[in-house]
Amino acid sequence: MGWQREQDKRLREFIKIIYHHHPYYHALMKKKGLKPEDFKKTSDLIKLPITYKKDVLKDPKKFVLQPKKDELKKTLGFKQKIKGLVNPGAIREQLSMEYQPTTFFSTSGRTGVPTPVFLTNYDLDKLKEYGVSDFINFAFRNAGIKKRVAQNTFPFAPHLAFWFSYIVARHLPKTFFYSFGTGRTELQADMIEKFKINILTGMPFYLKHLSEVAKDKEIKSRVKLVLLGGEGVPEGMKERIKNNLKSIGPEPVVKMTYASSEMKSVLMECAPSSGYHTHPELHYWEVVDKESLEPIGCDRPGVLVFSHLDSRGTVLLRYYTGDYVHKGITNKTCPHCGSKKPRITSDIERLVDMDKGLTSKKIKGNLVSLKTIDEVLSKFKKLKQYRVVITKKDPKDKLSMDELIIEAGIDKRVKNIKRVIQGIKNKFKAYTDITPIVKKVPSKEIYKKVMNTMKGVRVIDKRPT
Ligand SMILES: [Zn+2]
């Protein structure tokens, strides 16, 4: 735990800023009779309850650092105070750049309610600084690419993935980079050949589609590296992307990223399944038990919870990600790249109800993860597209039975549709103990619905809370 002392020190400094300038945590700490001195170590953060997305949604502005003039004096460093005496104008400008939000990102989430996360120039600088070094040290590592030509297919939206790629790419050496969003897929496939693209970035759902179109068009691919983000990726989907591209060019390396708007940061793999290299300077990670929510030590399975240690704009402490990590966080030196930063192991499942806290995370009494749903359904080669809707028998009645509907976009060439539908039902039941309702829906229609959410949301929870 080489980072512990450094993180403790950062927390001691940051908690003062939070106490004086953060409306939500100030009120919470007052209510609990806590002062900045009560947080000497990161382990003291347990004195605060877990923060859920629903808490932020109630009043997102309350989670933004908003220093008032009088309060500001209490958190200025010695050098800043001196500078303020000599040149008050300059310090005012500097503080305004540091604290004034300049943009926001939002997560559409599975329930479709976006949570805005505000960033200041301070945050954008961090995003750039860590992003540039992570791309070079981790993402591009061993990809065998000298001159990088990247096609970015993350959607044009206030999402972290798109802006992160754009902001960082401007500062990467020997890199030609352009963004196409999602859509105009035929043209995008042609561009892969024409521009001799060797790096593709995007959401797994879209890149699967694009790689299929490219394969059908028989373009010549030179893609050596695929960087996926924005959603959890089932192994089956990763394989399909890899195989589609391999059939028209070299076999690409597929690496994953782990990020959320709330984190204001992107964590990367340096090799497939190496684990995500964290930024211990920016976040303190905990693994908590999924039922009791007690911290259970890093290297055990549980739900990921993080606290910002160096951030402006929206600041979160003990934020519940809803992401379940099977092997926890490892502090061992990375066997691939030698990095000593802790790594969140690559096997992450997103619990379906992350947006709703813990009130209704079960479907028919079973805990179902997005990953299981994806793993099961992506195995059906005859299933071109799918979408899962979790609802109630009577959608207005909270207490009526849960229902799980699979919209199945079955390959047009399939003659015995009934058999495919029965196969899906059986397999799904075998893995999850839930018998789904399977409806045949045209693939194109499902694709449109899924991409409409801008995030490739394949599972929608429509149950009333
Ligand atoms: Zn590594």
Side-chain angles (χ1 to χ4, degrees):
M1 287 292 278
W3 284 96
Q4 199 174 313
R5 282 178 63 185
E6 169 69 23
Q7 287 193 316
D8 291 344
K9 197 176 141 233
R10 278 177 185 252
L11 176 69
R12 284 196 293 272
E13 283 164 20
F14 194 42
I15 202 80
K16 276 188 235 158
I17 292 180
I18 293 174
Y19 181 78
H20 291 291
H21 310 322
H22 194 291
Y24 181 86
Y25 291 118
H26 177 80
L28 186 67
M29 283 163 77
K30 277 252 162 174
K31 203 171 126 198
K32 292 193 164 287
L34 293 165
K35 287 256 161 76
E37 305 84 83
D38 294 311
F39 297 86
K40 292 198 170 62
K41 291 179 166 173
T42 47
S43 54
D44 290 324
L45 280 166
I46 193 151
K47 293 172 184 171
L48 295 172
I50 283 177
T51 300
Y52 292 101
K53 189 172 201 146
K54 63 176 193 287
D55 302 321
V56 184
L57 273 175
K58 255 184 230 158
D59 193 351
K61 221 181 138 189
K62 273 194 171 162
F63 284 82
V64 179
L65 290 176
Q66 297 160 58
K68 296 204 175 68
K69 219 175 170 186
D70 298 341
E71 294 289 307
L72 203 51
K73 283 178 202 142
K74 296 176 185 165
T75 56
L76 287 182
F78 180 70
K79 274 189 196 159
Q80 282 174 311
K81 279 183 187 158
I82 297 287
K83 200 173 168 188
L85 289 174
V86 182
N87 190 347
I91 193 85
R92 257 204 303 277
E93 196 162 308
Q94 187 199 328
L95 288 168
S96 146
M97 291 293 267
E98 188 175 329
Y99 283 98
Q100 174 64 45
T102 47
T103 188
F104 78 89
F105 296 149
S106 82
T107 28
S108 56
R110 267 159 279 281
T111 50
V113 191
T115 324
V117 173
F118 292 90
L119 291 94
T120 75
N121 279 325
Y122 186 90
D123 296 313
L124 292 171
D125 285 346
K126 296 264 175 223
L127 197 66
K128 183 191 84 184
E129 179 194 333
Y130 284 83
V132 169
S133 102
D134 285 4
F135 262 109
I136 291 168
N137 295 329
F138 305 140
F140 296 153
R141 199 181 161 272
N142 277 353
I145 302 167
K146 278 201 187 101
K147 204 172 158 246
R148 296 176 278 261
V149 193
Q151 187 163 317
N152 177 26
T153 71
F154 281 114
F156 298 118
H159 284 152
L160 177 72
F162 173 81
W163 289 103
F164 171 75
S165 315
Y166 171 75
I167 290 166
V168 176
R170 292 170 58 221
H171 301 275
L172 288 170
K174 291 185 202 155
T175 307
F176 180 75
F177 174 96
Y178 63 83
S179 301
F180 234 106
T182 42
R184 290 180 289 173
T185 307
E186 295 263 333
L187 177 64
Q188 293 222 41
D190 291 338
M191 299 286 276
I192 292 175
E193 177 171 319
K194 208 173 274 175
F195 274 78
K196 300 189 174 73
I197 293 300
N198 49 33
I199 299 171
L200 272 178
T201 66
M203 294 182 300
F205 186 84
Y206 183 72
L207 285 184
K208 177 183 152 271
H209 178 61
L210 175 60
S211 63
E212 257 155 32
V213 171
K215 184 185 161 190
D216 289 346
K217 290 188 75 146
E218 292 176 4
I219 63 135
K220 183 174 164 41
S221 163
R222 292 174 183 82
V223 176
K224 284 187 170 173
L225 175 65
V226 177
L227 289 176
L228 300 175
E231 271 285 292
V233 189
E235 271 310 309
M237 199 180 276
K238 231 157 96 172
E239 279 304 300
R240 280 213 207 174
I241 295 168
K242 197 199 275 183
N243 291 335
N244 287 339
L245 291 169
K246 197 178 142 189
S247 71
I248 48 172
E251 179 175 332
V253 182
V254 183
K255 293 185 190 178
M256 296 281 305
T257 59
Y258 173 62
S260 66
S261 301
E262 289 92 335
M263 278 160 62
K264 301 194 221 173
S265 196
V266 177
L267 310 182
M268 297 185 190
E269 288 183 339
C270 68
S273 303
S274 67
Y276 304 104
H277 299 72
T278 60
H279 303 136
E281 305 89 340
L282 304 182
H283 308 104
Y284 170 66
W285 288 94
E286 290 173 73
V287 178
V288 301
D289 182 81
K290 72 174 181 227
E291 303 291 339
S292 72
L293 299 178
E294 293 295 323
I296 47 172
C298 272
D299 51 355
R300 305 248 319 266
V303 183
L304 292 166
V305 165
F306 74 83
S307 299
H308 284 132
L309 288 179
D310 189 6
S311 180
R312 301 295 182 262
T314 300
V315 167
L316 300 161
L317 293 176
R318 304 202 75 218
Y319 185 73
Y320 181 84
T321 61
D323 294 336
Y324 186 84
V325 62
H326 280 268
K327 289 182 187 144
I329 300 171
T330 173
N331 287 303
K332 289 184 188 141
T333 304
C334 177
H336 306 279
C337 70
S339 162
K340 289 194 179 345
K341 293 187 175 184
R343 278 166 295 132
I344 296 172
T345 51
S346 287
D347 199 2
I348 293 178
E349 284 189 48
R350 295 209 163 171
L351 302 181
V352 167
D353 279 310
M354 62 179 283
D355 294 346
K356 295 184 178 175
L358 288 173
T359 51
S360 62
K361 68 178 173 182
K362 288 174 178 171
I363 304 164
K364 289 188 174 179
N366 294 293
L367 182 71
V368 179
S369 74
L370 265 178
K371 193 181 157 196
T372 313
I373 294 172
D374 275 331
E375 288 291 359
V376 175
L377 295 180
S378 64
K379 280 195 184 109
F380 283 88
K381 294 238 160 72
K382 285 168 187 143
L383 199 57
K384 293 278 271 187
Q385 305 286 356
Y386 60 84
R387 196 172 84 120
V388 176
V389 181
I390 305 159
T391 177
K392 291 274 178 191
K393 220 172 192 137
D394 175 0
K396 285 187 199 103
D397 179 9
K398 243 204 261 205
L399 299 172
S400 79
M401 284 274 284
D402 287 338
E403 243 175 25
L404 194 138
I405 301 166
I406 298 175
E407 297 176 350
I410 300 166
D411 196 323
K412 278 182 195 151
R413 287 164 288 194
V414 170
K415 289 203 178 83
N416 194 342
I417 287 169
K418 264 192 184 157
R419 205 166 81 190
V420 177
I421 288 182
Q422 196 53 45
I424 295 170
K425 273 189 185 173
N426 293 347
K427 190 135 257 165
F428 206 84
K429 165 96 177 143
Y431 275 86
T432 64
D433 224 21
I434 294 167
T435 309
I437 297 166
V438 182
K439 284 184 186 164
K440 187 180 166 267
V441 177
S443 301
K444 269 195 180 159
E445 215 173 279
I446 298 174
Y447 177 76
K448 256 193 207 156
K449 277 193 216 166
V450 171
M451 290 318 290
N452 248 348
T453 59
M454 304 297 277
K455 248 205 143 186
V457 177
R458 300 180 294 278
V459 180
I460 288 192
D461 193 345
K462 286 190 173 169
R463 292 173 296 177
T465 40

